[in-house]
Amino acid sequence: MASVIKTRNTATRLLTAVAVLSGLVLSAAQAHAAAPPSPDEASAAAAALPVVNMEATVLAAQIDPRRADSTQTPGAHDSVLAVERALQARGLLDTRWVDGYFGTTTISAYAAFQRSLGYSGLDANGLPGTSSLTALGQGRFTLTRQIGPGAKLRRDGYTVDTRTQNMLTEAERILGFALTLDQGSYNPGGDPTSAGTHDGGGVVDINVDGMTSTTRTAVAKALRQVGFAAWVRNPTQGDWPWHIHAAAISDTDLATQAQNQTGDYYLGLNGLANHAPDDGPRIPIQTWEEYRRTH
């Protein structure tokens, strides 16, 4: 009998030991699961996600809606596709529109996502910004080549953003003389003849008083070189004096009307309601960020 009791006690002790060890292993596993990932684990997880090129995505959001067909913006397909899949996952975009083309339907879906974040007005017009793209990409994609307008500042008595100011300064360096504004940005309703293009950021009118035709063209060319969609405007085109209208391509604060102008510029149009051919100096089109990478 003593032998049986001893055997039972030994078995009990073994079972207890196994239970304790199992508990320790389980606790360790639970603790590991609850602990935040290490930097290496976080990097590995991020590396497994698609990468969205913000520059390419924002460019596509300006050009694609202005096309007469579904031609996609070169270099933007994969990034736009990742954005569209994220919108689809939130129930904002039907599967048939997940195609790498940032057309009007995707613009509307993205605007709905911006509104879901509590944005309104200029911040919910369907043009991706850094904060909304970051929120949309949580767990779905990472961002590269991020862009933004920067802080607002005053120039010639008007409001512009830092990115626009830097572009103007570089155009002045190319020209060798200073430019003066006739109108700035963030000016909703300030000039009815502008059709809302100055409501957001990135858009300015340049004073051309005293400039010859050759100088006006040179200014428009310099502005285009640094990333503006820029045209010399004359009184025969609208109810305005001679001036140069310039919209900073890919400024993420562009009003919808200004987005349309930059898209039209890429398609060889004049940015006016008549959709006439571009009447400005034709040079290779590039954004401010593309210009900076080569200068």
Side-chain angles (χ1 to χ4, degrees):
M1 176 64 90
S3 176
V4 172
I5 293 173
K6 181 177 180 180
T7 300
R8 288 177 178 171
N9 289 340
T10 300
T12 299
R13 285 195 295 272
L14 287 172
L15 288 172
T16 301
V18 169
V20 170
L21 288 172
S22 297
L24 290 173
V25 171
L26 182 60
S27 296
Q30 290 172 332
H32 178 74
S38 67
D40 289 342
E41 289 172 330
S43 297
L49 295 174
V51 177
V52 166
N53 180 325
M54 184 176 177
E55 281 185 37
T57 302
V58 171
L59 190 61
Q62 294 163 89
I63 303 173
D64 290 358
R66 306 301 290 172
R67 298 185 189 276
D69 55 24
S70 57
T71 300
Q72 297 180 15
T73 297
H77 173 85
D78 291 348
S79 294
V80 173
L81 196 62
V83 169
E84 289 176 326
R85 284 171 175 163
L87 291 170
Q88 178 196 26
R90 292 175 177 270
L92 298 171
L93 188 65
D94 189 82
T95 304
R96 62 181 170 144
W97 303 114
V98 180
D99 54 8
Y101 173 74
F102 212 120
T104 55
T105 302
T106 303
I107 288 285
S108 296
Y110 200 93
F113 172 67
Q114 290 171 318
R115 290 193 298 272
S116 77
L117 297 176
Y119 300 156
S120 61
L122 187 65
D123 296 325
N125 61 8
L127 185 67
T130 302
S131 59
S132 60
L133 263 182
T134 299
L136 182 64
Q138 287 295 322
R140 293 192 171 276
F141 58 76
T142 58
L143 281 183
T144 186
R145 293 197 172 174
Q146 297 183 35
I147 54 177
K152 296 177 184 177
L153 50 85
R154 299 289 286 178
R155 177 190 169 110
D156 301 331
Y158 300 100
T159 301
V160 298
D161 58 49
T162 300
R163 183 176 182 269
T164 301
Q165 168 69 354
N166 291 340
M167 294 169 68
L168 290 169
T169 299
E170 179 60 12
E172 290 172 324
R173 187 194 67 79
I174 293 172
L175 291 164
F177 58 83
L179 300 173
T180 302
L181 301 188
D182 266 345
Q183 186 178 179
S185 309
Y186 305 101
N187 187 31
D191 182 357
T193 67
S194 295
T197 56
H198 290 261
D199 287 6
V203 180
V204 295
D205 286 345
I206 308 295
N207 184 299
V208 298
D209 291 349
M211 290 187 188
T212 64
S213 174
T214 299
T215 301
R216 291 195 297 260
T217 300
V219 172
K221 181 179 179 180
L223 291 169
R224 290 184 172 201
Q225 283 179 261
V226 302
F228 284 100
W231 299 273
V232 178
R233 300 298 197 211
N234 67 72
T236 68
Q237 297 171 315
D239 184 21
W240 50 61
W242 281 92
H243 68 281
I244 295 175
H245 178 76
I249 302 165
S250 293
D251 188 304
T252 55
D253 272 357
L254 286 173
T256 298
Q257 298 88 333
Q259 294 173 42
N260 294 343
Q261 286 187 324
T262 57
D264 285 353
Y265 173 56
Y266 271 87
L267 300 179
L269 303 176
N270 66 357
L272 293 173
N274 61 12
H275 301 295
D278 183 11
D279 56 4
R282 298 298 289 171
I283 64 172
I285 300 176
Q286 60 184 344
T287 66
W288 170 238
E289 288 73 27
E290 289 169 333
Y291 174 85
R292 290 182 66 193
R293 283 195 284 272
T294 57
H295 290 78

